[in-house]
Amino acid sequence: MVASSVLPAIALVLGVAQAIYPDNHWEKSVEITKENADAFVKEHVDAGRTVIIRAISQVGNGDCNRQAPAWNKVIEDWASNDDVIFGDSLLKKSPVVEIHGVKQRLGSKGWPTIRYFNKETGYGGEPYPFKTRMAPWKELGPEFSYLHDFVEEVVNSRSMFKEFVAMCDQSKTDQDCKDAQEKFNLKFGASPEDLKKQLTRLQKTMEEGDAPVRPEALEWVLERIAQLSEKSEL
């Protein structure tokens, strides 16, 4: 029989675990371990997705607990989107300190640590780009929209890029390509930095041969960068 003094402690641990991982969490996120990390990242990056992984030190970590609602919300919101996939890494259970030979620097700025992986970052990934000097749990937590905005940027930019390539490949008409350019311009035309990212994607697509993009499409993006560069410093 369990001592009555132990029951509250057990209930507390179970409550914390449930707060970190909702009941249906593992239907929408993959548990990342030393055994599956490299294969998981490679499979989805090769498929053109962005992989976003949150690493926590242990279930009882207070900072990770405070940040958890925001993480669970973005997973819920984007679970059905094929351009992004999520993973959770619990270091105390299986310390994933390297992925494809790249040290993940987990906890170097505090907890939790969020990293993302796609064709631009390579298999080793990059850390979430912090926007403030707040602690990670604070900036990435439910009080602010930074995490939501980051995932939205990743998902929308990739989705728009795929649409652009699909509408402006060598099998489409000139009008299709013009329509794609207009949509692309509306979404990414305000910032030279955004256009640079899209240019990188276009160049890699052409190099890899996944979808042959018309040369004029690439020239158009270069022209847009030049135009915006005249008005603002790169």
Side-chain angles (χ1 to χ4, degrees), residues 151-169:
V151 177
E152 184 173 56
E153 178 184 353
V154 169
V155 174
N156 285 348
S157 65
R158 189 66 192 168
S159 297
M160 181 62 73
F161 172 67
K162 287 168 67 176
E163 181 180 351
F164 176 78
V165 170
M167 289 184 66
C168 202
D169 68 22

Side-chain angles (χ1 to χ4, degrees), residues 91 103-113 115 127 130 136:
L91 267 65
K103 293 186 182 302
Q104 299 297 286
R105 298 180 57 80
L106 305 177
S108 61
K109 290 190 175 182
W111 297 102
T113 296
R115 292 180 65 90
F130 283 95

